[in-house]
Amino acid sequence: MTQLAKQLFVGLCMAIVINLTACKEPLQDNDTQLVNLDQSGAQGQFSVDGRYAVLHDPGDKLAVFDVATQMRLFQLADPVPASDAAKGNIQAFSLSEDNSQIAIGFRQFVEVWDIEQGKLLGTVTVYPSDELAKVSALRLYTRPHHLLVGLNDGTVNLLDLDNQLVKKAKLHNSKVIHVAKSAQGQILLSAGHDGQVLLFDAHTLATKRGFSFDRRITSIAQSHDNSRLFASDALNEQRIFSLYSGTEYDVSLSYPERFRWFRAAAFSDDERYLATGSSKAWWTLWDAQNGQEIGAYFIKAHSRDATILDMHTNSHGELLTLSSDGFIELWQISTLVNGRQ
């Protein structure tokens, strides 16, 4: 080995050692409460209050579970008939805020189901800008009965289901991954693979404020009072900022690696902490006031590819994680914080 090669090798080893020692290794064997839903999922979602969980598996079966009892409350598992091939597979889904209904999006329409009765309430056509576009994000509300739809051509629809009114605007240049309403319902929020997070008027759909990232958004989470937002791009930009106030409040997450991948996220109820999921079987807890990492924790996993699909926090200071293996774990945030001090 030449002298130059030796120097490069030593430098590389030192960089690896520095990186490993600077990073908090995920902890294992945590004392968590564990719920097994007995179904895997490629997509998953908690209800707004964390009482229900939805899993959509690779075979296109979708089920709604009661977290406390593990009971399967609703299931959509019938294969798509050949005569209805245009329907396609499930693209997105959303539980209503009162847990009474679920919206299930296919290529260019959405079915709305009554969860308790297992009854199809209606089918809603969506309106893309590109005729080949597909549904990519949903948010269902029952008070009032509104459906927000994002499509992979960058279009957003606001559908008033009671009055059969439709508003449409092309707000993004690529796939929409997140849509939501503000607490008062006057402002709508969307985020897309074009790196844009937008606030727009619910009546006119005119953009009121925007936040730009250099790359596509991979995860996004609002605080419980909807005032703060966490967003992450596909490389190394992760920010917490104020949505509606005029003051600039911007915190960036701090870590020693060049980049991290963030898949899911949730603020604690008191907004002091932020939990983020990774592309692997572990998650990270952060101080949301300064962006410093508190600790990282492995989830229970059966498969080597297990990852967190969704996260939810409640007023008891607890975090729920929903994994692709169908496990729900309950974590006490204060215990984790004190354990790292």
Side-chain angles (χ1 to χ4, degrees), residues 101 112 124 140-141 145-147 159-165:
Q101 299 174 11
V112 180
V124 182
L140 178 63
Y141 300 89
H145 205 190
H146 286 172
L147 177 67
L159 302 146
D160 184 331
L161 301 183
D162 288 335
N163 299 304
Q164 298 183 343
L165 298 174

Side-chain angles (χ1 to χ4, degrees), residues 15-17 19 21 25-26 62-63 81 104 108 111 119 130 135 145 147 185 267 271 277-278 282 286 288 306 308:
I16 293 174
V17 170
N19 187 53
T21 55
E25 289 296 313
L62 181 145
I104 303 173
Q108 291 192 357
E111 294 180 347
K119 176 183 177 182
D130 185 321
V135 170
H145 205 190
L147 177 67
F267 283 94
E271 300 184 26
S278 69
W282 53 275
W286 308 84
I308 292 174

Side-chain angles (χ1 to χ4, degrees), residues 141 144 146 158 181-188 200-203 226:
Y141 300 89
H146 286 172
L158 173 58
K181 292 202 301 184
S182 65
Q184 291 75 30
Q186 302 302 309
I187 302 297
L188 307 181
F200 50 102
D201 188 276
H203 299 288
N226 291 324

Side-chain angles (χ1 to χ4, degrees), residues 11 13 24 27 31 82 87 91-92 101 121 135 137 140 151 159 167 175 186 208 233 239 242 251 258 277 282 324 333:
C13 291
K24 292 182 172 66
L27 295 180
D31 184 19
K87 180 177 182 178
Q91 304 294 322
Q101 299 174 11
L121 299 176
V135 170
L140 178 63
L151 295 110
L159 302 146
K167 295 177 182 177
K175 181 179 179 179
Q186 302 302 309
K208 299 179 72 67
D233 75 358
R239 295 163 53 194
S242 174
V251 174
R258 180 170 174 266
W282 53 275
S324 56
I333 294 176

Side-chain angles (χ1 to χ4, degrees), residues 46-175:
F46 281 115
S47 62
V48 173
D49 59 9
R51 290 178 52 205
Y52 291 178
V54 188
L55 279 174
H56 173 220
D57 73 10
D60 214 33
K61 295 180 180 180
L62 181 145
V64 180
F65 298 88
D66 185 302
V67 172
T69 65
Q70 304 171 45
M71 182 180 298
R72 194 183 301 255
L73 305 175
F74 173 87
Q75 182 167 310
L76 189 69
D78 295 332
V80 177
S83 60
D84 198 17
K87 180 177 182 178
N89 296 324
I90 295 171
Q91 304 294 322
F93 48 86
S94 171
L95 287 166
S96 62
E97 80 283 7
D98 63 357
N99 296 335
S100 65
Q101 299 174 11
I102 185 169
I104 303 173
F106 296 89
R107 286 178 182 170
Q108 291 192 357
F109 69 89
V110 179
E111 294 180 347
V112 180
W113 290 79
D114 183 295
I115 292 175
E116 183 176 346
Q117 299 180 23
K119 176 183 177 182
L120 178 62
L121 299 176
T123 300
V124 182
T125 301
V126 300
Y127 298 88
S129 299
D130 185 321
E131 63 180 11
L132 299 178
K134 297 179 182 178
V135 170
S136 57
L138 291 175
R139 187 63 66 91
L140 178 63
Y141 300 89
T142 55
R143 298 187 297 267
H145 205 190
H146 286 172
L147 177 67
L148 271 172
V149 183
L151 295 110
N152 65 357
D153 66 351
T155 303
V156 174
N157 288 185
L158 173 58
L159 302 146
D160 184 331
L161 301 183
D162 288 335
N163 299 304
Q164 298 183 343
L165 298 174
V166 180
K167 295 177 182 177
K168 166 189 165 183
K170 192 174 189 306
L171 299 172
H172 297 270
N173 295 323
S174 56
K175 181 179 179 179

Side-chain angles (χ1 to χ4, degrees), residues 29 100 117 133 143 176 214 251 276 293 300:
D29 300 324
S100 65
Q117 299 180 23
R143 298 187 297 267
V176 178
D214 289 338
V251 174
T276 61
E293 180 178 343
K300 298 291 190 300

Side-chain angles (χ1 to χ4, degrees), residues 11 30 64 77 127 130 140 154 156 159 190 199 228 261 269 281 289 297 300 315:
N30 297 289
V64 180
Y127 298 88
D130 185 321
L140 178 63
V156 174
L159 302 146
S190 66
L199 298 178
R228 298 172 72 194
W261 178 268
D269 188 71
Q289 310 306 310
Y297 311 91
K300 298 291 190 300
S315 59

